[in-house]
Amino acid sequence: MGEGEEQVKVLSQWPSPFAIRVLIGLEEKGVRYEDQEENFASKTELLLQMNPVHKKVPVLIHNGKPVCESLIILQYIDEVWPGSNSFMPSNPYDRALAKFWADFLDTKFLGNAILGILKTTGEAQEEGKRYMLEYLGLLEGVLKELSAGGSKPYFGGKYFGFLDIAFICHTCWFHTMETLGKWKIPWESEFPRLQKWVKKCMERESVNKILPDPRKVLEHAIEVRKGYVSSTD
């Protein structure tokens, strides 16, 4: 690395949707970075030093200074490397809306739906599936609204933006949700806009490069699940 050149490192774990979105954000901006894969079993000294509060990935280390929490990191990336492809909407209300739904993804969608299916069995898992359908329905409506009635491809309208990055990172887990829950998400009948949106996002080099193979995610999830439910369930 030449003198005066920026140093950008990401502490990540490949199946983490939060780490995935940070890497996609950097790819979208064309930022050169080093991706340091963290071990699930033990935390490195660098991770503990750079994120002493939460002690988790992702962490963006920019010229020796850490930035933590994926949505905050995305906003930081957008401000530090503005370029022509800004992630955040220019209108203050639209920015607030994008932040609201990104927070919804990390609290409700992940917490109640994805983890509700991953960590449970029986009625509790059925409740997780119900949450998944409810929340996908909400996001289908949001996509319709923000994409100008469906005439534009992304949550960011014409441009792939903050909310698109915040959500696309979760989609590699859908195959796992269907397999573990023994069901099928009714994309064509109930969520056609989201189905089209996923396909459009997958055409982007940044997404196609970073998003892990859903089959690999499933293998990882099966191991993770063993820590929550009995193998006899």
Side-chain angles (χ1 to χ4, degrees), residues 18-44:
F18 308 113
I20 290 168
R21 64 170 55 138
V22 169
L23 297 179
I24 290 175
L26 290 170
E27 291 287 338
E28 282 289 321
K29 293 289 187 176
V31 178
R32 293 180 60 187
Y33 64 91
E34 177 188 350
D35 179 18
Q36 177 172 310
E37 181 76 12
E38 290 289 318
N39 191 297
F40 288 98
S42 61
K43 295 177 171 64
T44 64

Side-chain angles (χ1 to χ4, degrees), residues 28-214:
E28 282 289 321
K29 293 289 187 176
V31 178
R32 293 180 60 187
Y33 64 91
E34 177 188 350
D35 179 18
Q36 177 172 310
E37 181 76 12
E38 290 289 318
N39 191 297
F40 288 98
S42 61
K43 295 177 171 64
T44 64
E45 286 300 319
L46 182 60
L47 175 59
L48 296 176
Q49 177 189 352
M50 292 291 133
N51 191 359
V53 176
H54 296 299
K55 302 178 178 66
K56 63 182 182 180
V57 300
V59 180
L60 175 73
I61 306 173
H62 182 206
N63 293 333
K65 296 180 180 180
V67 184
C68 304
E69 298 298 302
S70 63
L71 295 179
I72 294 174
I73 295 173
L74 274 184
Q75 293 174 70
Y76 179 84
I77 291 171
D78 200 35
E79 292 171 5
V80 173
W81 297 282
S84 59
N85 56 334
S86 175
F87 298 155
M88 302 303 296
S90 58
N91 180 279
Y93 179 75
D94 291 339
R95 284 201 301 275
L97 205 60
K99 291 178 182 179
F100 172 86
W101 285 108
D103 180 73
F104 169 85
L105 289 168
D106 286 0
T107 53
K108 298 294 188 180
F109 189 80
L110 175 65
N112 293 340
I114 293 181
L115 295 183
I117 296 172
L118 174 65
K119 293 183 176 183
T120 64
T121 59
E123 178 52 36
Q125 190 180 73
E126 292 303 313
E127 183 178 36
K129 291 192 233 178
R130 289 192 290 271
Y131 277 126
M132 177 72 77
L133 294 175
E134 176 187 348
Y135 295 161
L136 287 175
L138 290 174
L139 291 164
E140 177 83 0
V142 173
L143 180 57
K144 178 180 179 181
E145 178 183 353
L146 297 184
S147 63
S151 63
K152 297 179 180 178
Y154 302 114
F155 282 95
K158 183 178 179 181
Y159 302 101
F160 182 75
F162 180 74
L163 188 51
D164 298 290
I165 299 172
F167 188 19
I168 195 62
C169 63
H170 290 294
T171 61
C172 61
W173 282 81
F174 286 147
H175 173 62
T176 293
M177 297 301 98
E178 290 182 323
T179 304
L180 297 182
K182 298 180 175 61
W183 68 315
K184 288 292 183 182
I185 300 172
W187 293 108
E188 291 187 8
S189 61
E190 296 191 33
F191 316 117
R193 289 184 180 85
L194 287 176
Q195 184 183 47
K196 185 177 179 181
W197 169 80
V198 171
K199 291 180 180 178
K200 185 69 175 177
C201 290
M202 288 301 298
E203 294 174 0
R204 302 189 70 84
E205 183 178 354
S206 63
V207 177
N208 192 266
K209 175 181 178 180
I210 299 299
L211 219 60
D213 187 328

